[in-house]
Amino acid sequence: NAGVTQTPKFRILKIGQSMTLQCTQDMNHNYMYWYRQDPGMGLKLIYYSVGAGITDKGEVPNGYNVSRSTTEDFPLRLELAAPSQTSVYFCASSHPEQGLTEAFFGQGTRLTVV
Amino acid sequence: AQSVTQLGSHVSVSEGALVLLRCNYSSSVPPYLFWYVQYPNQGLQLLLKYTSAATLVKGINGFEAEFKKSETSFHLTKPSAHMSDAAEYFCAVSGPLYNFNKFYFGSGTKLNVKP
């Protein structure tokens, strides 16, 4: 099993550009999450989804959008990149209905906005 | 909202010494609690979790943590540090009831192991 796969691993964007961070999981988990990690700040929840077609905002959703058309995929969209979005982004999944209460993480996408 | 506090952003121990990383949470109802480890340029890996079973939880790599409801704490310990334990450690909380689909993380503790 590949688990949670994120692409790309690294990306440099110019201010005002847009991009989509891809996330896919092959574990059939219902719950998926996007976090951003900044030094000394831990992980902050951007958006989450409890199933296909259902998404909701987390703690820091401004400047981002998500969609969940399938169980497997949960892309994160940045429409107008800003320097404040320079961060490491992690996608995660879980499946509490099957006793999988923990989150399984991808390897992250390191994004720099210049 | 739930919150997690990790005391000490950096902890340094000698190889073979006790490791103690502190985590306190705020919740009126006992939540699910987790410790994750992150090695440089990698994702987060689960060390152990508490989900209302035994209060002393054993994890991978010799780590364990004890849930203390009266202290709202979930401190991580390892009797003898190894050089390979050098990493950043995150405490996280989720649950209960309607809110168990979100994970809240502490700000992390970087563990340095001196030879």
Side-chain angles (χ1 to χ4, degrees):
Chain A
N1 279 347
V4 179
T5 302
Q6 293 182 238
T7 56
K9 287 185 170 51
F10 304 93
R11 183 72 185 268
I12 298 175
L13 275 183
K14 292 185 178 179
I15 295 172
Q17 286 185 322
S18 62
M19 78 164 292
T20 299
L21 282 66
Q22 301 292 344
C23 175
T24 187
Q25 52 94 5
D26 62 357
M27 298 176 285
N28 203 33
H29 287 176
N30 280 346
Y31 292 68
M32 294 188 75
Y33 314 83
W34 275 106
Y35 286 88
R36 60 177 288 170
Q37 182 182 25
D38 301 297
M41 301 295 289
L43 281 76
K44 299 296 184 186
L45 182 63
I46 305 172
Y47 272 95
Y48 69 99
S49 169
V50 300
I54 306 170
T55 62
D56 205 350
K57 296 177 180 179
E59 302 167 272
V60 289
N62 291 344
Y64 307 95
N65 277 300
V66 294
S67 60
R68 183 95 181 270
S69 57
T70 66
T71 299
E72 295 78 17
D73 299 309
F74 191 41
L76 178 71
R77 179 82 177 164
L78 283 70
E79 291 295 349
L80 291 170
S84 60
Q85 294 177 306
T86 294
S87 188
V88 181
Y89 292 84
F90 287 100
C91 180
S93 70
S94 71
H95 202 112
E97 292 93 339
Q98 291 187 352
L100 297 173
T101 52
E102 67 268 33
F104 295 78
F105 283 85
Q107 291 298 295
T109 296
R110 186 174 295 273
L111 176 66
T112 302
V113 181
V114 297
Chain B
Q2 305 190 57
S3 70
V4 180
T5 302
Q6 290 184 240
L7 285 177
S9 58
H10 291 80
V11 170
S12 186
V13 301
S14 297
E15 191 172 21
L18 171 72
V19 175
L20 171 60
L21 304 182
R22 300 178 186 274
C23 173
N24 288 86
Y25 67 91
S26 65
S27 174
S28 58
V29 179
Y32 298 156
L33 292 156
F34 310 85
W35 275 100
Y36 285 86
V37 60
Q38 184 181 34
Y39 299 100
N41 300 315
Q42 293 191 22
L44 278 72
Q45 177 185 0
L46 182 71
L47 273 179
L48 48 80
K49 65 179 180 180
Y50 167 79
T51 56
S52 74
T55 57
L56 182 61
V57 181
K58 294 187 184 299
I60 62 172
N61 302 338
F63 284 94
E64 62 181 38
E66 185 172 9
F67 171 68
K68 292 187 177 180
K69 182 180 177 180
S70 61
E71 300 177 7
T72 60
S73 68
F74 190 57
H75 302 332
L76 182 70
T77 61
K78 182 174 180 178
S80 177
H82 192 272
M83 295 297 291
S84 61
D85 295 327
E88 190 161 18
Y89 293 80
F90 292 93
C91 182
V93 62
S94 77
L97 302 176
Y98 63 91
N99 215 20
F100 72 102
N101 47 293
K102 296 180 184 177
F103 294 83
Y104 297 91
F105 286 82
S107 54
T109 298
K110 287 188 178 177
L111 176 66
N112 177 46
V113 182
K114 299 175 289 185

